[in-house]
Amino acid sequence: MTIDTQRLRQLAQNCEAWHKTGCPVSDPYDTYPDDLYDAATLPSDILALLDDLERRNWLSDTRAAAQMINQRQQRFGSQRIVHELRQKGISQALIDAAMPELKDNELAAAREVWQKKFGHPPQDAKERARQARFLQSRGFPMAVVFKLLRMDNE
């Protein structure tokens, strides 16, 4: 089943109106008059629309995951990126497929983030702990943090 342009436009307008009013997700129908919702907002039509978008490859979890990874890879570690992918509902199979690429670039990304924030090696244990906490908060694993701050040699 394909959805015509007019029904798609009406659905988009309904979604736009819904977001502008700040209607709570739990009860969207209480805020709007009955004439705002028509047959285009029925769950079966929405599911048909999503199926049509997936069939045309306009809606793709693979592309969404790749885009999210490319956007965040230079600023965040693999742990944080994986967490965000899971929150967005990306399948574990797609996450597992992306892990080798994330792991390969992780040390360079951590070094770039560390250089931008600090730019100099830690002078004492307190400074080293502060820098390590910062890198951990960005989602870099402890092995990468230790390697970057040379804690593994001590």
Side-chain angles (χ1 to χ4, degrees):
M1 173 183 179
T2 60
I3 304 292
D4 65 354
T5 311
Q6 183 178 4
R7 291 183 77 181
L8 181 60
R9 187 174 291 122
Q10 179 65 36
L11 185 60
Q13 288 171 350
N14 289 353
C15 290
E16 182 181 351
W18 184 47
H19 287 294
K20 282 183 180 178
T21 61
C23 179
V25 175
S26 61
D27 203 4
Y29 296 101
D30 284 348
T31 307
Y32 298 107
D34 291 336
D35 61 340
L36 182 61
Y37 288 95
D38 62 357
T41 60
L42 294 175
S44 61
D45 287 341
I46 293 173
L47 292 175
L49 172 65
L50 292 174
D51 290 340
D52 189 44
L53 292 175
E54 284 178 349
R55 187 177 47 75
R56 294 178 188 203
N57 203 24
W58 292 350
L59 184 65
S60 169
D61 282 348
T62 306
R63 277 200 338 261
Q67 181 181 5
M68 183 179 262
I69 289 168
N70 287 336
Q71 286 177 344
R72 288 165 172 73
Q73 194 170 15
Q74 298 302 315
R75 296 182 304 154
F76 300 111
S78 62
Q79 293 174 341
R80 180 157 175 179
I81 294 171
V82 166
H83 178 72
E84 289 180 5
L85 289 171
R86 285 187 183 129
Q87 280 186 321
K88 298 289 182 184
I90 303 296
S91 71
Q92 189 62 41
L94 290 174
I95 293 172
D96 291 341
M99 284 305 290
E101 179 186 347
L102 286 172
K103 295 288 184 186
D104 288 344
N105 302 328
E106 199 160 42
L107 184 60
R111 184 170 284 120
E112 186 176 320
V113 168
W114 174 82
Q115 184 68 34
K116 185 175 180 181
K117 175 75 174 176
F118 299 105
H120 59 80
Q123 300 300 319
D124 57 7
K126 184 177 179 181
E127 179 68 17
R128 181 170 290 157
R130 187 171 80 87
Q131 291 182 13
R133 281 192 307 271
F134 170 76
L135 291 170
Q136 275 187 291
S137 73
R138 290 293 181 105
F140 294 103
M142 284 306 295
V144 172
V145 172
F146 285 162
K147 189 177 282 187
L148 182 63
L149 298 178
R150 292 184 175 67
M151 292 178 175
D152 56 352
N153 295 337
E154 294 179 22

